[in-house]
Amino acid sequence: MWPKWYALYQQQVKATRLREKLEKELLEEAGGLPAATLPSVGKDGVVKVHSFADINRMATQLNAGDLSQARAELRVRRKRWKDADQRLGYSAALALEQELAEGAGISGRVMGITPPSSLMEVTAKLHCLIVMHDPGLKLEDAPWPELRTMLKDLTRLAEKRRPTSCKRPAQPGKAAGVRSILNLATHYQDAARKLGEGSSKLNQAPQRLLALHAMELYLNAFLLARGVDPTMLGGFRHDLGERTRIATDAGLILRKRTVAHLATLSASNEHHVIGYAPQPASTLSQMNRVMATVDELSRKVRKALRVDPTPPRGRRLESTQKD
């Protein structure tokens, strides 16, 4: 749930920044809000009105000339505002911001009532709670400073509970972009397919390992594109099942059979078995099933991220190096 909520929240933040930028430009271009000035009304002698209903309510305090002038001024200012709005797209940006805020709010409330199954999920729920109520992380009244401290403590504890083998400097996404990871996954997928063209059974172990790594990279690319923190991905090690669960929550659509197969690969710890403790092939997934799964991940992830499903072979490595 957290990646789905966080992806919506990140989109909402971007939409808010765009709306604020356009609002400033709109105010400058339109010369302020669409309002008219009524003379000889109020303590200061003038008052601003923003609607014809406001003007009508004050009609008894004004002469016919002032009323006519105020209505004409309001029409001109409204037209100027409308024209500037259409050019800048402010109303559309405002509607998008409100839609994303509603979606993030619903996702956050669902995550809040979902029972956690790990320390990481408790941390994610607290993060969601804090950000939804204190987006700028600036509130100084209790309990907000204390809650921010608790979030840091939980994050530190979750980091300590990660296996030592995962605490390596390199983490997915730190130096590589999503497209670079997709291209690297394609290299491993192509290499696995090439090994599968031979008839030697000796090729099956490296072919399987290459295919499993390609699956992991495809899922990493999708999750990074959806806003999942690279540190969080590093904590999954080679757990394809957990990656798949979060990816499907974040919108990746896979066949039920494929989801079940990815969960089985993790449950049987096939990556470790094939890499360090080889067992008879009869205890492992069928090789054609493994290749079918990596092929589906390649198609579905690229489709979800709107990336060319068949990048030119000669340019894959070049693109990876440039990114």
Side-chain angles (χ1 to χ4, degrees):
M1 291 298 298
W2 183 83
K4 182 178 181 180
W5 164 78
Y6 192 64
L8 285 170
Y9 172 72
Q10 290 289 83
Q11 292 175 44
Q12 178 196 340
V13 170
K14 292 179 181 178
T16 298
R17 289 172 181 165
L18 175 61
R19 190 265 305 162
E20 291 174 344
K21 174 178 175 292
L22 293 178
E23 183 175 298
K24 182 179 179 181
E25 293 178 5
L26 179 59
L27 287 169
E28 291 177 355
E29 187 170 333
L33 293 171
T37 302
L38 295 178
S40 305
V41 177
K43 296 179 180 179
D44 299 328
V46 296
V47 64
K48 284 188 175 293
V49 292
H50 296 83
S51 70
F52 291 107
D54 290 339
I55 296 176
N56 293 335
R57 279 195 295 269
M58 298 181 183
T60 58
Q61 306 176 50
L62 299 168
N63 59 47
D66 288 339
L67 283 173
S68 178
Q69 182 179 350
R71 291 190 179 107
E73 181 185 359
L74 186 57
R75 289 191 190 96
V76 170
R77 287 187 173 274
R78 281 190 168 183
K79 185 178 186 305
R80 187 185 303 166
W81 179 275
K82 183 178 179 180
D83 292 344
D85 181 14
Q86 289 179 343
R87 282 194 297 273
L88 296 172
Y90 170 76
S91 292
L94 177 61
L96 176 62
E97 178 192 16
Q98 293 172 342
E99 180 183 346
L100 290 170
E102 181 180 0
I106 293 172
S107 181
R109 289 192 291 275
V110 170
M111 185 167 67
I113 64 175
T114 302
S117 59
S118 67
L119 179 60
M120 184 178 294
E121 291 184 2
V122 173
T123 306
K125 291 176 72 169
L126 181 59
H127 175 232
C128 174
L129 174 68
I130 292 174
V131 169
M132 288 181 67
H133 293 276
D134 181 20
L137 303 179
K138 296 179 180 179
L139 293 179
E140 295 301 329
D141 295 334
W144 298 108
E146 292 80 5
L147 288 175
R148 292 195 292 269
T149 300
M150 288 173 61
L151 179 60
K152 292 178 181 178
D153 292 340
L154 283 171
T155 303
R156 188 162 46 248
L157 286 173
E159 179 70 17
K160 287 182 178 179
R161 293 185 61 176
R162 285 173 50 202
T164 304
S165 59
C166 293
K167 298 177 182 177
R168 50 188 180 274
Q171 293 170 343
K174 284 292 185 180
V178 171
R179 187 176 293 273
S180 296
I181 296 174
L182 282 174
N183 288 337
L184 184 58
T186 304
H187 292 320
Y188 278 97
Q189 181 184 7
D190 288 346
R193 188 180 293 113
K194 188 70 176 178
L195 281 176
E197 294 174 357
S199 58
S200 173
K201 292 185 177 180
L202 295 176
N203 289 346
Q204 288 191 1
Q207 180 190 9
R208 186 184 301 272
L209 194 59
L210 290 169
L212 291 174
H213 196 59
M215 295 179 199
E216 184 177 324
L217 289 171
Y218 279 127
L219 289 168
N220 282 349
F222 178 84
L223 293 172
L224 287 169
R226 289 296 184 266
V228 176
D229 191 276
T231 303
M232 184 178 180
L233 287 182
F236 293 156
R237 293 189 291 176
H238 301 300
D239 192 339
L240 296 173
E242 184 66 10
R243 282 179 170 84
T244 303
R245 183 183 69 81
I246 297 176
T248 53
D249 282 345
L252 181 62
I253 300 175
L254 298 171
R255 293 185 301 169
K256 291 182 179 179
R257 183 181 179 185
T258 301
V259 172
H261 182 230
L262 287 162
T264 300
L265 290 172
S266 291
S268 60
N269 204 13
E270 195 158 313
H271 192 286
H272 176 80
V273 168
I274 199 65
Y276 302 101
Q279 293 182 5
S282 59
T283 64
L284 303 172
S285 302
Q286 292 293 321
M287 199 60 234
N288 59 353
R289 176 65 256 172
V290 171
M291 293 306 298
T293 295
V294 73
D295 288 345
E296 181 177 349
L297 279 174
S298 174
R299 293 193 311 273
K300 297 292 181 64
V301 168
R302 288 183 177 278
K303 181 179 179 181
L305 301 184
R306 298 181 181 179
V307 176
D308 181 6
T310 54
R313 286 177 177 267
R315 295 181 59 187
R316 285 176 184 157
L317 184 56
E318 177 185 354
S319 176
T320 301
Q321 291 172 340
K322 285 183 178 180
D323 288 353

